[in-house]
């Protein structure tokens, strides 16, 4: 056979796959979210997933979603994948980059993405669409000129062989 393969994955499939694979590192029982920050020339700059800050043992902090005492839930302690990806980057500016995320960013992550100079968000799931946090994130993205685009599934099944 001569010529190149024709069934290779495109850039969006590749980077969203990396985001989902990053999310698989999360130890959260309910939600595993991953993020992949990419330069305009399709180079991966950083990745992140939702989890506790470095030095905070996964065994010493709660993973619960619901409790009357919020200190017994994960929410005061977990760092979201987008913020982890920003903080994991050691190369300087993230100005004019894009981020692939498995879940649409919350309002707090939207602030960090805007401040970091990320100009485009490609998201897979928007399961919290219409919630106050989601509405606030979209309002800030719109005001700051950050483009947000749903990931378009190709319909093909991607398997990883090891």
């Amino acid at each position: 056979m001569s010529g190149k393969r024709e069934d290779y994955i495109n850039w969006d499939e590749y980077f969203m796959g990396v985001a989902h694979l990053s999310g698989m590192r999360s130890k959260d029982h309910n939600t595993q979210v991953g993020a992949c920050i990419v330069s305009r020339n399709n180079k991966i700059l950083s990745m992140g997933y939702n989890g506790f800050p470095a030095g905070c043992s996964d065994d010493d902090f709660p993973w619960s979603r619901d409790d009357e005492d919020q200190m017994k839930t994960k929410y005061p302690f977990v760092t979201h994948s987008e913020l982890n990806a920003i903080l994991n980057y050691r190369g300087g500016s993230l100005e004019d980059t894009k981020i692939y995320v498995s879940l649409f960013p919350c309002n707090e992550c939207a602030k960090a993405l805007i401040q970091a100079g990320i100009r485009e968000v490609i998201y897979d799931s928007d399961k919290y669409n219409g919630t106050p946090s989601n509405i606030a994130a979209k309002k800030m993205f719109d005001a700051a000129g950050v483009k947000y685009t749903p990931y378009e599934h190709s319909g093909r099944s991607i398997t990883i062989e090891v």
Side-chain angles (χ1 to χ4, degrees), residues 16-34:
M16 189 57 76
V18 169
H20 278 286
L21 193 59
S22 295
M24 292 173 70
R25 284 283 309 145
S26 174
K27 295 166 187 84
D28 191 323
H29 297 291
N30 298 295
T31 308
Q32 299 82 45
V33 182

Side-chain angles (χ1 to χ4, degrees), residues 28-93:
D28 191 323
H29 297 291
N30 298 295
T31 308
Q32 299 82 45
V33 182
C36 178
I37 300 175
V38 179
S39 71
R40 285 288 163 198
N41 60 348
N42 293 319
K43 304 288 187 243
I44 294 175
L45 302 175
S46 187
M47 295 169 283
Y49 57 89
N50 58 316
F52 297 127
C56 297
S57 171
D58 297 327
D59 298 322
D60 295 339
F61 288 86
W63 285 105
S64 175
R65 290 176 65 135
D66 302 307
D67 197 289
E68 287 184 21
D69 180 358
Q70 189 175 9
M71 294 302 291
K72 293 182 181 177
T73 71
K74 63 184 178 178
Y75 297 110
F77 308 107
V78 166
T79 304
H80 287 178
S81 66
E82 302 92 330
L83 185 57
N84 265 328
I86 290 168
L87 297 172
N88 287 338
Y89 185 59
R90 299 286 188 255
S93 175

Side-chain angles (χ1 to χ4, degrees), residues 108-151:
E108 293 299 320
C109 288
K111 293 180 213 178
L113 295 169
I114 292 165
Q115 290 298 93
I118 294 171
R119 304 303 301 156
E120 185 175 359
V121 176
I122 298 94
Y123 62 93
D124 195 6
S125 171
D126 194 8
K127 74 177 183 178
Y128 297 110
N129 185 36
T131 64
S133 173
N134 183 270
I135 292 167
K138 290 176 180 174
K139 184 174 183 173
M140 287 185 284
F141 284 153
D142 289 341
V146 174
K147 181 179 174 184
Y148 49 96
T149 309
Y151 171 66

